[in-house]
Each structure stands twice: as C-alpha cells, then as structure tokens.
Amino acid sequence: MTEIDAKIDGLVPAWLTLPDIAEELDVEVTRVRQLVKEGQLIAVRRGENRVLQVPAEFIQDGKVVKGLVGTLTLLRDDGFADEEMLEWLFTADDTLPGTPAQALRENRGTEVKRRAQALAV
C-alpha cells in the first residue's frame, strides 16, 4: 500500500474505498484487506484523509476482474512496484487498443498477460 502521486492518480478514472469494494464483492472488509495483502488488488492511500482506495475498474459484476490477479503477479515478478503497475495498467496503448485495465474488463486478458510477460525480457 503506497501513497499515490498526482500523475498516476490522474490516470485512474475512478476509485473505490475498501468498504465500497466489500459491498460490491459481498464480503467483509477484512476479506478485502486480505486481497490487498495477498497482492490480488492494489490499494493506495489517496485524498486528504489518506483513505485506502482501489481502482474501480478492478471490480466488475461483483467480482475482481478476470485476469487481474495473474497480471498483477506477472508485473510483480517483473519487479514492478504498485505505482508502476497502476501506471502500466491505466496508460493507453494504441496497439491494444485502450488501456490494459480496459482490455481486462473486456475479457482480453490473454493479450494483456502476454504484454506483461514481454516486459520481463
């Protein structure tokens, strides 16, 4: 869990607090904290109160977006820090098209993972 910088904060269109995510996933907040601790979600401290928040695009239809966990694992294995992963996931790529986060939401995770693996080479 890191403090977010303004550049990356501007890339992410919307954020959810941990209680909001717990409601979306229909679980306890402690389970959401566990997902963050396990690296299945990225949470950063934002705003005046430095509240932990997660990009809203990571949640869809009451679940963590398919392919996100594997992509985060690949990026972490490539040596990416949380902020670098957020920057990569939310930076537009014309060849994708869109952002890797959008591609995951559109069930194009195979291509996103392929690109994440290529970063290690």
Side-chain angles (χ1 to χ4, degrees):
M1 292 170 272
T2 58
E3 185 89 27
I4 190 94
D5 78 12
K7 176 187 172 197
I8 295 168
D9 194 22
L11 290 174
V12 179
W15 297 87
L16 294 171
T17 63
L18 299 191
D20 292 339
I21 290 178
E23 189 174 314
E24 289 275 331
L25 299 178
D26 195 27
V27 298
E28 297 292 325
V29 174
T30 53
R31 178 65 185 132
V32 177
R33 288 186 184 282
Q34 188 66 31
L35 292 172
V36 171
K37 185 177 179 183
E38 293 170 354
Q40 295 183 44
L41 290 173
I42 299 173
V44 295
R45 296 206 175 271
R46 295 183 65 245
E48 207 172 291
N49 296 333
R50 299 184 63 243
V51 175
L52 277 176
Q53 296 184 32
V54 172
E57 286 194 36
F58 288 177
I59 308 299
Q60 184 176 29
D61 300 327
K63 298 179 200 159
V64 175
V65 170
K66 182 181 174 188
L68 177 67
V69 175
T71 302
L72 294 179
T73 300
L74 285 169
L75 293 172
R76 217 171 258 113
D77 289 350
D78 290 345
F80 278 58
D82 286 356
E83 278 200 352
E84 293 168 323
M85 287 189 272
L86 288 172
E87 184 174 8
W88 185 79
L89 284 164
F90 288 95
T91 298
D93 181 343
D94 292 338
T95 64
L96 199 48
T99 68
Q102 287 170 329
L104 287 172
R105 287 179 65 86
E106 296 167 0
N107 203 23
R108 295 185 286 136
T110 303
E111 183 58 28
V112 173
K113 287 182 195 169
R114 190 174 300 132
R115 291 166 189 248
Q117 286 174 324
L119 296 171
V121 178

